[in-house]
């Protein structure tokens, strides 16, 4: 007989692994990826590929140089790469995209301790940094469809830019200007439902986020659906505001987080200088997650509040 | 009231249909004066003494202690100062069998006419929490005069995977369970006695429903098969809706939880005078040739029990005493069984493959599913910082050590171990 192994309980584990959860997120992003290629053409695939490859390579390089265990096989860098690409305009110069990846993987993720330790969403932080650093290319949109009168995104039109708002149905399928992965609501919803079904994310944050935006949009002059489908809300609510490491761990906390994201988004959209506020809202809410965790801590059975 | 909905873990109740078979008398048994809870018994024999089955070898040392009885007849071979199961300092006695299994002459049914006699009889039976708690039952049933006992919950939940000994007790010794319930009803005067059984044991439910139908104040409560349904505070909450406040005991909310096999054992003792000398053990797992339920004398080396079950397969890599969620892995086959050992599980190489912990991704699965309402991922952070104040704030001391957090963790973090160490850290701090 072999030598017996001794270990602490439990001696059975659920099959799910962190790597599998990340892979599920990647799978959930594929419909939106396909939609981006259909809508924006092959360059969407190129930008995504460059971002994914740079993120994975940078993570590997950092861990190699710092003599840390190499964890690039856990798919998390792939997600960061895809999400960052989805938040970029299709015409973004590739070198700028690579700089975004450096910010995301090195600056936000690895310098704070790697997977699970970062306090802000890497893709969103990188997008915001790029938005400030490359403000021209980051707001240079292509007209969709190609014969459209202007290249302005629906939110820009609602914010006062020249242009015509697309039909609701066109926005639902993604035929409108914008970042390459944010436009096709239907594709994002398919991915979001997949995540909910696989129990990778809980409904609390997306529902609270989208509902808050919807309710506040009722007070605006435009059809509230333009606020829901016109910007990065669906992508943000399902894929960025549900990032485990940078969002609360209790259901109550997730609802508070979602409502906060919705409030900030609409405050920026209605009163801010920028037409779109989803990234800023999520980033702002990331900062207060420790306090939300405290506020919405679970109460032990028979114990007083933490 | 929102019930605590635990985990749908696999049941593996493969041996539920196997009537327990008695194993041949082992050549040697080792009996511990102390199991995991309560005060140790005082040794009453010395090497060379002859003992018979049921004879006292360790006398109860105070109210929080339980006597130890010889489980085989023979000669006391040696006394050890070290507990073979934990390696800690504790007295144990090894008895060599004479093969006769002669019954001790002093065995007579006790006279039980009043509460005091009942409690003495429960203590003399040598019974402790056989579900795994190991706390001396007589002390558990000794209630302060101020306690108004509303519920006695007889715990037949058996929520751990593999184990079917309580199932067998409820099927084979159902009358003993009911008799024990009647004894408790007579002497402890509870409002209600509920026999709590998970719904994956329909036969046991049917049998006990039939036996308790005509009995006022005793009934069967069927519960969903969720882990850890049988944890005492969870059981109290899910059945009665009462919450045991931090640092208080179950009787403070008018409840007592007692394992069904424990009840059957003291009921048998009061009928026959034979104390706890053997018990049913489930032998199962992927590395056992013929899984079955066996009746083995307390203190039998586990190797002898596996031999009776057709031996172990070649690729056996891990052996557990207890269930797959809370049981302890043992280092060798010479370990003796304890009174609380309800299962021996042998896992093959494939099932025993060690899990590789990766970084916590803060998914909150452990937080959302902790039955005690704790936040294991936060407790792990506080533990790594050795921040005892924070551990106390997060109520780490209230952990029931059910291992649900570690079972669920997608990053395979050793959360159950961390919780256990955190509890110890708080406890040691309190003693300073």
């Amino acid at each position: 007989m072999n030598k017996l192994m001794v270990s602490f309980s439990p001696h059975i584990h659920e099959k799910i692994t962190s790597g599998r959860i990340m892979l599920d997120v990647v799978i959930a992003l594929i419909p939106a990826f396909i939609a981006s290629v259909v809508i924006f053409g092959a360059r969407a695939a190129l930008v995504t590929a460059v971002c994914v490859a740079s993120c994975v390579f940078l993570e590997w390089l950092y861990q190699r140089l710092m003599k840390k265990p190499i964890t690039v096989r856990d798919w998390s860098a792939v997600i960061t790469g895809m999400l960052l690409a989805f938040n970029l305009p299709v015409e973004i110069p590739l070198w700028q995209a690579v700089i975004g990846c450096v910010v995301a993987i090195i600056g936000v993720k690895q310098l704070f301790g790697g997977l699970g330790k970062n306090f802000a969403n890497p893709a969103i932080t990188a997008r915001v940094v790029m938005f400030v650093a490359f403000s021209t290319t980051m707001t240079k949109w292509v007209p969709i469809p190609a014969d459209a009168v202007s290249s302005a995104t629906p939110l820009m039109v609602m914010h006062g830019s020249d242009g015509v708002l697309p039909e609701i149905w066109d926005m639902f399928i993604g035929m409108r200007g914008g970042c390459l992965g944010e436009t096709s609501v239907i594709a994002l919803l398919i991915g979001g439902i997949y995540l909910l079904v696989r129990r990778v994310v809980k409904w609390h944050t997306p529902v609270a986020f989208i509902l808050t935006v919807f309710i506040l949009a009722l007070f605006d002059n435009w059809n509230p659906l333009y606020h829901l489908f016109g910007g990065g809300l669906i992508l943000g609510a399902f894929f960025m505001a549900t990032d485990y490491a940078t969002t609360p761990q209790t259901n109550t906390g997730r609802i508070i987080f979602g409502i906060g994201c919705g409030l900030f988004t609409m405050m920026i959209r209605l009163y801010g200088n920028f037409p779109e506020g989803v990234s800023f809202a999520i980033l702002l809410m990331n900062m207060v997650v420790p306090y939300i965790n405290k506020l919405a801590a679970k109460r032990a059975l028979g114990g007083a509040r933490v | 009231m929102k019930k605590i909905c635990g985990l749908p873990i696999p049941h593996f109740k493969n041996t539920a249909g196997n009537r327990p078979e008695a194993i041949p008398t082992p050549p040697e048994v080792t009996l511990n004066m102390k199991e995991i809870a309560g005060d140790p018994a005082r040794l009453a024999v010395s090497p060379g003494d002859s003992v018979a089955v049921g004879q006292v070898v360790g006398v109860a040392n105070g109210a929080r202690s339980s006597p130890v009885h010889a489980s085989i007849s023979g000669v006391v071979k040696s006394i050890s100062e070290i507990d073979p199961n934990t390696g800690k300092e504790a007295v144990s006695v090894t008895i060599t069998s004479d093969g006769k299994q002669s019954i001790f002459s002093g065995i007579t049914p006790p006279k039980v006419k009043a509460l005091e006699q009942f409690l003495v009889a429960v203590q003399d039976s040598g019974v402790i929490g056989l579900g795994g708690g190991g706390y001396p039952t007589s002390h558990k049933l000794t209630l302060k005069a101020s306690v108004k006992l509303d519920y006695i919950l007889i715990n037949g939940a058996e929520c751990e995977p593999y184990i079917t000994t309580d199932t067998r007790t409820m099927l084979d010794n159902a009358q003993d369970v009911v008799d024990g319930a009647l004894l408790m009803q007579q002497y402890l005067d509870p409002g209600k006695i509920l026999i709590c059984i998970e719904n994956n044991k329909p036969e046991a439910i049917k049998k006990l429903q039939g036996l308790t139908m005509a009995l006022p104040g005793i009934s069967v409560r069927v519960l969903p098969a969720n882990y850890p349904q049988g944890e005492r505070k969870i059981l109290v909450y899910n059945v009665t809706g009462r919450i045991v406040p931090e640092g208080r005991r179950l009787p403070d909310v008018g409840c007592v939880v007692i394992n069904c096999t424990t009840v059957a054992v003291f009921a048998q003792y009061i009928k026959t005078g034979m104390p706890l000398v053997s018990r049913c053990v489930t032998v199962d797992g992927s590395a056992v040739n013929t899984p079955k339920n066996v009746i083995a004398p307390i203190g039998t080396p586990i190797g002898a029990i596996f031999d009776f079950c057709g031996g172990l397969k070649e690729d056996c890599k891990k052996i557990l005493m207890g269930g797959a969620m809370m049981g302890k892995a043992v280092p060798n086959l010479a370990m003796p069984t304890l009174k609380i050992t309800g299962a021996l599980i042998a896992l093959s190489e494939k099932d025993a493959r060690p899990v590789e912990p990766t970084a916590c991704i803060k998914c909150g699965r452990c937080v959302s599913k902790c039955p005690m309402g704790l936040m294991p991922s936060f407790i792990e952070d506080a533990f790594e910082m050795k921040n005892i104040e924070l551990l106390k704030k997060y109520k780490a001391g209230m952990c029931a050590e059910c291992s649900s957090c570690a079972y669920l963790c997608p990053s395979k973090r050793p959360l159950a171990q961390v919780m256990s160490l955190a509890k110890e850290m708080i406890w040691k701090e309190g003693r300073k």
Side-chain angles (χ1 to χ4, degrees):
Chain A
M1 199 174 72
N2 300 322
K3 228 178 178 163
L4 289 178
M5 195 181 83
V6 180
S7 70
F8 205 86
S9 63
H11 305 283
I12 49 174
H13 292 85
E14 204 175 47
K15 271 205 196 89
I16 190 100
T17 62
S18 299
R20 174 67 219 197
I21 290 174
M22 307 286 176
L23 180 61
D24 270 336
V25 179
V26 173
I27 293 170
L29 284 169
I30 284 176
F33 172 69
I34 294 169
S36 75
V37 179
V38 172
I39 296 163
F40 293 99
R43 196 160 199 284
L46 179 68
V47 173
T48 311
V50 167
C51 284
V52 169
S54 329
C55 283
V56 173
F57 173 73
L58 285 162
E59 180 146 296
W60 175 85
L61 187 72
Y62 180 89
Q63 290 175 336
R64 186 71 202 269
L65 292 178
M66 294 298 148
K67 299 190 171 58
K68 285 169 183 282
I70 308 281
T71 60
V72 289
R73 281 155 166 264
D74 67 11
W75 293 94
S76 66
V78 177
I79 298 177
T80 305
M82 284 180 93
L83 285 177
L84 178 59
F86 283 12
N87 276 295
L88 301 176
V90 70
E91 293 293 337
I92 189 86
L94 294 178
W95 65 270
Q96 290 180 356
V98 172
I99 288 180
C101 294
V102 175
V103 173
I105 292 293
I106 308 291
V108 184
K109 190 178 172 192
Q110 292 299 341
L111 287 183
F112 283 90
L115 182 64
K117 301 276 197 326
N118 52 302
F119 67 94
N121 187 310
I124 285 193
T125 316
R127 178 190 141 92
V128 169
V129 167
M130 288 173 75
F131 196 71
V132 177
F134 314 120
S135 48
T136 325
T137 47
M138 280 296 282
T139 49
K140 190 168 156 284
W141 313 104
V142 293
I144 297 290
D147 57 351
V149 258
S150 104
S151 63
T153 67
L155 286 176
M156 286 166 71
V157 176
M158 288 153 73
H159 209 250
S161 302
D162 289 336
V164 185
L165 280 176
E167 294 296 316
I168 295 284
W169 173 252
D170 283 339
M171 295 214 302
F172 192 65
I173 58 171
M175 292 309 281
R176 60 143 169 114
C179 297
L180 65 88
E182 73 174 24
T183 63
S184 179
V185 173
I186 176 117
L188 290 167
L189 283 179
I190 291 169
I193 288 164
Y194 175 79
L195 289 184
L196 287 171
V197 169
R198 292 278 305 166
R199 293 170 189 239
V200 171
V201 304
K202 295 210 168 185
W203 58 267
H204 303 78
T205 314
V207 169
F209 194 170
I210 295 171
L211 209 60
T212 308
V213 168
F214 181 79
I215 289 168
L216 293 176
L218 293 174
F219 298 99
D220 197 18
N221 299 328
W222 304 97
N223 182 343
L225 288 180
Y226 282 105
H227 275 291
L228 296 196
F229 302 158
L233 177 66
I234 305 296
L235 178 67
F238 279 99
F239 293 94
M240 325 267 266
T242 56
D243 171 39
Y244 290 146
T246 58
T247 59
Q249 290 186 50
T250 60
N251 290 340
T252 324
R254 290 181 179 119
I255 290 175
I256 297 173
F257 184 87
I259 293 173
C261 287
L263 281 174
F264 278 123
T265 300
M266 287 310 282
M267 273 161 63
I268 295 168
R269 281 188 187 175
L270 299 181
Y271 305 113
N273 267 335
F274 298 117
E276 172 60 313
V278 168
S279 313
F280 294 107
I282 295 174
L283 190 57
L284 278 166
M285 289 308 289
N286 284 166
M287 303 299 123
V288 293
V289 163
Y291 299 98
I292 298 176
N293 272 334
K294 220 175 207 174
L295 185 72
K298 254 178 88 181
R299 194 176 164 164
L301 187 69
R305 192 162 277 280
V306 171
Chain B
M1 185 193 78
K2 202 169 171 243
K3 298 259 161 89
I4 293 169
C5 172
L7 310 175
I9 58 168
H11 297 145
F12 299 133
K13 302 283 189 189
N14 314 314
T15 52
N18 298 37
R19 249 174 189 284
E21 302 166 38
I23 68 160
T25 309
E28 202 173 272
V29 295
T30 303
L31 302 164
N32 287 1
M33 294 298 114
K34 179 190 159 120
E35 296 212 353
I36 57 172
D39 296 331
R42 202 176 60 243
L43 193 67
V45 290
S46 32
D49 288 1
S50 305
V51 289
V53 176
Q55 189 175 342
V56 173
V57 296
V59 187
N61 194 4
R64 290 184 72 250
S65 173
S66 181
V68 178
H69 302 88
S71 58
I72 58 171
S73 66
V75 180
V76 175
K77 182 181 151 201
S78 61
I79 312 273
S80 160
E81 298 290 317
I82 288 174
D83 177 344
N85 291 75
T86 59
K88 289 182 183 161
E89 238 172 273
V91 178
S92 64
V93 50
T94 304
I95 301 168
T96 315
S97 170
D98 59 9
K100 293 183 204 140
Q101 281 305 78
S102 42
I103 308 288
F104 180 54
S105 56
I107 289 195
T108 44
K111 282 198 188 67
V112 177
K113 291 272 177 282
L115 174 63
E116 289 71 36
Q117 288 170 325
F118 170 66
L119 293 173
V120 168
V122 171
Q123 184 170 36
D124 288 345
S125 73
V127 75
I128 59 175
L130 296 181
Y135 194 76
T137 306
S138 56
H139 196 246
K140 180 190 269 187
L141 295 181
T142 309
L143 303 171
K144 275 185 259 162
S146 59
V147 169
K148 188 182 161 293
L149 190 61
D150 296 323
Y151 291 97
I152 291 180
L153 306 180
I154 297 180
N155 191 349
E158 202 166 55
C159 54
E160 272 265 7
Y162 292 108
I163 308 184
T164 58
T165 56
D166 287 346
T167 311
R168 288 322 303 182
T169 300
M170 290 186 285
L171 290 174
D172 305 331
N173 304 337
Q175 194 55 52
D176 290 331
V177 176
V178 174
D179 290 346
L182 287 168
L183 283 166
M184 290 193 288
Q185 192 176 41
Q186 188 180 345
Y187 296 113
L188 299 171
D189 191 30
K192 265 187 199 163
I193 295 183
L194 298 172
I195 305 172
C196 308
I197 312 174
E198 283 190 350
N199 61 11
N200 62 351
K201 299 177 247 309
E203 285 174 34
I205 293 168
K206 225 170 108 193
K207 182 129 193 188
L208 282 164
Q209 270 172 343
L211 286 173
T212 56
M213 193 121 55
L215 302 174
I218 303 178
S219 56
V220 173
R221 175 67 67 91
V222 181
L223 301 163
N226 275 332
Y227 186 83
Q229 192 69 269
E231 205 286 323
R232 59 208 171 101
K233 287 184 183 173
I234 307 299
L235 193 69
V236 165
Y237 180 76
N238 277 352
V239 172
T240 71
R242 296 182 181 185
I243 294 173
V244 186
E246 186 186 9
R248 306 292 290 278
R249 293 167 179 276
L250 269 55
D252 296 333
V253 296
C255 297
V256 159
V257 174
I258 184 165
N259 174 266
C260 63
T261 306
T262 305
V263 173
V265 166
F266 72 66
Q268 269 167 2
Y269 174 74
I270 288 169
K271 271 187 265 183
T272 65
M274 180 55 88
L276 176 61
V277 291
S278 64
R279 72 161 295 169
C280 172
V281 180
T282 298
V283 186
D284 202 347
S286 49
V288 177
N289 279 321
T290 359
K292 47 173 94 169
N293 281 316
V294 302
I295 292 176
I298 308 292
T300 305
I302 59 174
I305 297 179
F306 282 119
D307 287 344
F308 181 71
C309 298
L312 292 164
K313 288 182 186 157
E314 264 302 290
D315 60 349
C316 176
K317 190 71 189 164
K318 201 194 237 181
I319 291 176
L320 311 176
M321 280 172 87
M325 290 296 282
M326 291 177 74
K328 292 196 164 52
V330 296
N332 62 55
L333 291 171
M335 293 277 151
T337 60
L338 300 168
K339 288 178 183 175
I340 58 163
T341 307
L344 291 173
I345 295 161
L347 298 175
S348 64
E349 194 125 31
K350 190 174 135 268
D351 292 331
R353 194 172 295 149
V355 290
E356 287 294 326
T358 53
C360 171
I361 53 171
K362 308 228 164 35
C363 63
R365 278 172 168 76
C366 54
V367 176
S368 70
K369 277 295 182 183
C370 174
M372 294 303 293
L374 306 179
M375 304 197 291
S377 58
F378 291 86
I379 291 173
E380 192 191 19
D381 285 348
F383 173 77
E384 277 171 8
M385 291 187 281
K386 299 211 177 353
N387 188 337
I388 294 172
E389 284 313 306
L390 203 53
L391 286 176
K392 282 186 187 159
K393 216 170 142 190
Y394 287 137
K395 313 276 178 213
M398 293 183 73
C399 170
E401 302 193 41
C402 70
S403 300
S404 295
C405 47
Y407 170 81
L408 276 178
C409 182
S411 293
K412 313 297 168 204
R413 315 268 326 148
L415 290 170
Q417 193 167 12
V418 164
M419 297 295 278
S420 177
L421 291 170
K423 272 175 93 169
E424 201 178 309
M425 205 186 254
I426 294 174
W427 182 73
K428 277 185 180 158
E429 168 82 5
R431 284 206 317 168
K432 265 184 202 160

